[in-house]
């Protein structure tokens, strides 16, 4: 599995993972790259967005349904002919089937694929506390490679500056910022 890849994870559901993952897929596709899109879990809605963004089938990676031994082969199959793979996580980075383990979590998939993680953080109503959240996610499981953070729902340039200054000492780079914009909001969907 030598294809470049990244997992787009969130601190929890509703933080903007789908927006960031789909936006990243579109941006890379517009640069002429073939992007292999994946979604952790049995979701069928987000992979349809991914397919629109990449003109490739959106595929699921679910260690609960398929077993962890099939994640790498499923990933390799879905990545054939692609230049890069983007894997959108499910719920929060460490949330899986049960409360006590990592089964079917985004973290488990990232570790199985040896993929770096881009963490999406809803930074609204936060300043220095954002650094504590990022620090917690970066250190909770040392086997997860938290490579960077995307700050979502940032209110102003001043708010962004406070967040960047708070997070910088942790050593996790802020790779992007999305401003709060009600026009870009989409309602959450329930898969049940």
């Amino acid at each position: 599995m030598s294809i470049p890849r990244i997992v787009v994870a969130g601190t929890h559901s509703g933080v903007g993972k789908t927006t960031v993952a789909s936006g990243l897929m579109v941006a890379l596709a517009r640069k002429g790259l073939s992007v292999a899109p994946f979604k952790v879990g049995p979701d069928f809605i987000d992979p349809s967005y991914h397919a629109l963004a990449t003109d490739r089938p959106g595929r699921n990676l679910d260690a609960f349904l398929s077993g962890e031994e099939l994640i790498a082969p499923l990933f390799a199959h879905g990545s054939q002919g692609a230049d890069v793979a983007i894997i959108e996580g499910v719920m929060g980075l460490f949330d899986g089937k049960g409360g006590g383990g990592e089964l079917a979590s985004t973290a488990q998939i990232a570790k199985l694929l040896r993929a770096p993680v881009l963490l999406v953080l809803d930074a609204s109503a936060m300043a220095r506390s954002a650094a504590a959240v990022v620090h917690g996610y970066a250190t909770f499981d040392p086997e997860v490679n938290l490579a960077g953070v995307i700050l979502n729902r940032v209110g102003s340039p001043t708010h962004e500056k406070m967040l960047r200054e708070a997070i910088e000492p942790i050593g996790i780079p802020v790779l992007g910022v999305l401003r709060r914009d009600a026009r870009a909001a989409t309602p959450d969907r329930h898969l049940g």
Side-chain angles (χ1 to χ4, degrees):
M1 291 187 304
S2 61
I3 184 169
R5 59 196 164 273
I6 192 155
V7 172
V8 177
T11 55
H12 58 282
S13 292
V15 299
K17 289 185 304 291
T18 303
T19 300
V20 171
S22 298
L24 187 55
M25 291 173 191
V26 167
L28 292 170
R30 284 186 179 165
K31 287 191 172 281
L33 297 174
S34 176
V35 181
F38 295 90
K39 172 68 178 181
V40 176
D43 191 320
F44 62 92
I45 296 173
D46 293 344
S48 66
Y49 295 146
H50 300 166
L52 288 172
T54 65
D55 205 26
R56 288 179 60 112
R59 299 177 185 270
N60 298 94
L61 297 172
D62 189 318
F64 176 72
L65 293 177
S66 69
E68 66 181 56
E69 67 281 354
L70 285 180
I71 296 301
L74 288 169
F75 177 78
H77 173 76
S79 298
Q80 287 180 354
D83 300 308
V84 63
I86 308 295
I87 303 116
E88 180 187 342
V90 63
M91 302 187 326
L93 175 59
F94 299 106
D95 300 323
K97 181 177 180 321
E102 71 177 8
L103 177 62
S105 69
T106 301
Q108 181 189 30
I109 299 299
K111 291 182 339 185
L112 288 170
L113 297 178
R114 295 186 188 102
V117 174
L118 179 61
L119 185 69
V120 180
L121 172 68
D122 180 348
S124 61
M126 258 191 210
R128 189 167 180 238
S129 293
V133 172
V134 172
H135 175 73
Y137 276 81
T139 60
F140 184 76
D141 183 343
E143 293 181 44
V144 173
N145 174 13
L146 185 57
V149 178
I150 298 288
L151 302 173
N152 194 16
R153 300 184 184 114
V154 174
S156 68
T158 302
H159 186 205
E160 177 183 343
K161 183 176 186 287
M162 290 188 309
L163 292 162
R164 286 181 179 276
E165 288 174 353
I167 294 170
E168 186 198 8
I170 296 169
I172 303 293
V174 174
L175 299 175
V177 174
L178 298 172
R179 297 266 185 246
R180 202 173 328 171
D181 187 343
R183 296 172 299 169
T186 56
D188 283 339
R189 296 109 28 224
H190 179 67
L191 297 178

